Amino acid sequence: MQHFRGMLDQLAAISTPTGALLDAGLTVWTNQVANGNHSFSNVPWLLAGAAGGFLKTGQFLDVSAKKYQTQHMLNTVLGAVGVRKASGDLVDDFGDSSLPGGVLNELHA
């Protein structure tokens, strides 16, 4: 986590025409351990940056209470970095088609 923080500090220190490089992009820290037994429940995700204004910043969300799953976060990250469906709509169906689709609207700016 100290290395992640150091990287974020470096990204925040670089100026771009629209502000700090940190907010121009998205930096993600996560793992596959979740609750200690490699499950997909309560996987921690730390998102830093506004992805050019796509994401709300400065918040903590306990999305497990709303029964979101990993594919919801992955769909949201895809949208944040500019990936769209052929129609131009946000990707909301990444992953196993038998699982519910969608994005985390709480993260959308």
Side-chain angles (χ1 to χ4, degrees), residues 81-99:
V81 299
V83 177
R84 300 288 187 270
K85 292 182 176 182
S87 66
D89 294 335
L90 291 175
V91 174
D92 61 0
D93 58 356
F94 179 80
D96 187 336
S97 61
S98 69
L99 298 173

Side-chain angles (χ1 to χ4, degrees), residues 28-32 40 42-48 60-61 63 69-74 77 104 107:
V28 178
W29 178 86
T30 189
N31 65 53
Q32 291 287 326
F40 293 107
N42 298 320
V43 174
W45 288 78
L46 196 148
L47 284 74
F60 170 84
L61 297 175
V63 295
Q69 297 178 0
T70 300
Q71 71 270 16
H72 297 107
M73 182 62 81
L74 293 173
V77 168
L104 294 169
L107 293 178

Side-chain angles (χ1 to χ4, degrees), residues 12-47:
I14 299 171
S15 295
T16 73
T18 59
L21 183 57
L22 175 65
D23 286 323
L26 175 65
T27 308
V28 178
W29 178 86
T30 189
N31 65 53
Q32 291 287 326
V33 177
N35 60 14
N37 62 3
H38 299 279
S39 78
F40 293 107
S41 300
N42 298 320
V43 174
W45 288 78
L46 196 148
L47 284 74

Side-chain angles (χ1 to χ4, degrees), residues 52-66:
F54 184 88
L55 297 173
K56 292 178 190 173
T57 61
Q59 60 181 337
F60 170 84
L61 297 175
D62 182 1
V63 295
S64 64
K66 296 189 178 202

